[in-house]
Amino acid sequence: MHQKSTLEVRVKSIIKETATIKRFTLQALNGLKLPPFSGGSHISTHLPKASGTLERSYSVFNLSEPGSIEIAVRLAEPSTGGSEYWHHHVSEGDVLKVSYPKNHFPLSFQAKHHVFYAAGIGITPFLSMMAELSEKNQSFELHYAAKSKEQCAFFDFLNQTYPGLCHFYFSEGENRQRLSAKLLMDHRIGTHVYFCGPDKMIQEFSSAAIRYGYPAFNFHFERFASPVKKDALPFGITLKQSGKHLEVPAERSLLDVLREIGIDVSYSCRVGGCGTCEVKVAEGEIDHYDSFLTDEQRCSNRTMLSCVSRGKGNVLLDL
């Protein structure tokens, strides 16, 4: 999200949910309440580092007190900076800046039944969704994959809060069980399904939903990391209005390069799901890695999402 407005929050508590996942409870300063949010919302956190502010987005939920916001952060291996900072440099009492909650992964209330498929830290957006549905007496169920019970964040909370509605799949231990996309065949007409996990899992379940005849508006997904770009190459861009030429290195995004030189490109999710960072293309071919544009828009080569997509060779941007 473009940093037009931020909130100052204090880290009230830090709970170690698993060996690699910590839960952070954030509260407003001066006893105020933080803004409410709908199921599936996220915030961008602004982390102060010597090299500059590091921005990372996390799904929000609230398992503790009204008026607070909670996030869960998995320590990634290797970390690109965000999870390492949260795990090793954030302490209780610290004051940080965060964005107002935004929602690009909302519940569909056209659904007669909601089914959530989570893998690992992908459970986080579903915590707020399930709370909202439960409050409204809406029908739902959860299918949640992790390596083991010990590495399954919020296992006890989910079992106690939603008895009989949560199904767990552990890939390690004596009773190994894999979360299978074939489960999609078991849901009644009118069901909406939601996927959150690694990119490979999202691709598998989305492809299966299409094969099994789910309408496009009946399945929803959110990535918690940018799509993997195999053998990403640097590419050149030219700004049509100024004629300025820039290089986008293989390890950086077009969004970062544009903002670094003062081009005011708005953004939010940074994983190609919301469309906020869309820029117009005047000439050139694009490798699209987003999940937002239509097939027709991708084929036109007239637009791209600057957070994840890349040019083939040189690209003339309508900027």
Side-chain angles (χ1 to χ4, degrees):
M1 189 182 87
H2 177 49
Q3 191 176 345
K4 291 178 179 177
S5 57
T6 57
L7 298 162
E8 281 196 322
V9 297
R10 179 178 286 108
V11 180
K12 180 184 179 183
S13 65
I14 302 174
I15 298 174
K16 194 169 185 178
E17 295 289 343
T18 72
T20 59
I21 296 175
K22 287 185 177 181
R23 173 170 34 133
F24 299 83
T25 301
L26 311 176
Q27 63 178 182
L29 305 183
N30 303 320
L32 300 175
K33 289 187 177 181
L34 291 175
F37 54 87
S38 55
S41 296
H42 74 273
I43 57 171
S44 294
T45 63
H46 305 272
L47 307 175
K49 299 192 72 175
S51 57
T53 301
L54 182 67
E55 299 181 27
R56 292 291 185 269
S57 295
Y58 301 98
S59 297
V60 294
F61 53 91
N62 188 344
L63 308 185
S64 56
E65 63 184 56
S68 65
I69 282 177
E70 294 182 298
I71 63 172
V73 182
R74 181 181 68 88
L75 182 60
E77 295 292 347
S79 171
T80 56
S83 69
E84 190 274 337
Y85 190 95
W86 278 102
H87 274 251
H88 300 310
H89 302 286
V90 174
S91 303
E92 292 181 356
D94 285 357
V95 174
L96 299 169
K97 289 184 177 181
V98 304
S99 72
Y100 284 80
K102 296 288 183 181
N103 198 343
H104 305 301
F105 190 41
L107 287 162
S108 171
F109 286 100
Q110 296 178 351
K112 295 180 180 178
H113 182 59
H114 305 260
V115 183
F116 305 115
Y117 288 92
I121 196 64
I123 185 60
T124 51
F126 299 143
L127 295 173
S128 60
M129 288 178 164
M130 293 168 72
E132 183 172 339
L133 291 172
S134 180
E135 186 176 329
K136 295 179 178 180
N137 292 316
Q138 297 288 314
S139 175
F140 67 89
E141 64 187 86
L142 170 71
H143 298 266
Y144 181 10
K147 287 185 177 180
S148 64
K149 179 180 175 181
E150 292 71 30
Q151 297 180 67
C152 183
F154 309 105
F155 177 83
D156 290 334
F157 168 82
L158 290 167
N159 267 328
Q160 293 168 11
T161 309
Y162 308 110
L165 301 180
C166 302
H167 311 273
F168 300 92
Y169 307 80
F170 302 134
S171 58
E172 296 179 354
E174 293 183 2
N175 300 313
R176 298 182 183 182
Q177 192 175 11
R178 182 178 181 272
L179 177 62
S180 171
K182 291 181 180 179
L183 290 168
L184 293 170
M185 292 189 289
D186 297 335
H187 305 313
R188 63 180 183 266
I189 293 174
T191 294
H192 280 235
V193 292
Y194 306 77
F195 315 134
C196 189
D199 195 55
K200 183 178 179 181
M201 173 258 197
I202 289 175
Q203 290 180 3
E204 177 188 353
F205 276 71
S206 296
S207 297
I210 294 171
R211 288 198 311 273
Y212 299 151
Y214 279 76
F217 55 83
N218 276 51
F219 65 92
H220 320 264
F221 59 86
E222 181 178 63
R223 293 185 171 93
F224 53 68
S226 298
V228 177
K229 308 172 193 62
K230 296 181 180 178
D231 304 320
L233 297 173
F235 65 99
I237 59 169
T238 301
L239 306 182
K240 187 175 181 179
Q241 295 179 15
S242 66
K244 188 170 185 176
H245 183 77
L246 301 167
E247 291 292 326
V248 180
E251 70 280 2
R252 301 195 67 197
S253 70
L254 171 59
L255 175 63
D256 288 337
V257 170
L258 291 174
R259 290 184 59 81
E260 190 174 76
I261 64 167
I263 303 295
D264 191 20
V265 180
S266 297
Y267 62 93
S268 183
C269 73
R270 282 185 173 268
V271 294
C274 70
T276 307
C277 67
E278 182 179 0
V279 294
K280 300 300 180 183
V281 177
E283 295 178 12
E285 290 188 70
I286 308 300
D287 272 332
H288 295 282
Y289 292 94
D290 68 277
S291 56
F292 178 81
L293 298 176
T294 64
D295 290 340
E296 183 179 357
Q297 288 173 319
R298 293 191 183 100
C299 291
S300 74
N301 280 318
R302 288 292 177 257
T303 187
M304 66 185 293
L305 297 196
S306 58
C307 66
V308 294
S309 296
R310 307 187 66 80
K312 297 180 181 180
N314 293 308
V315 176
L316 178 65
L317 297 179
D318 195 7
L319 290 172

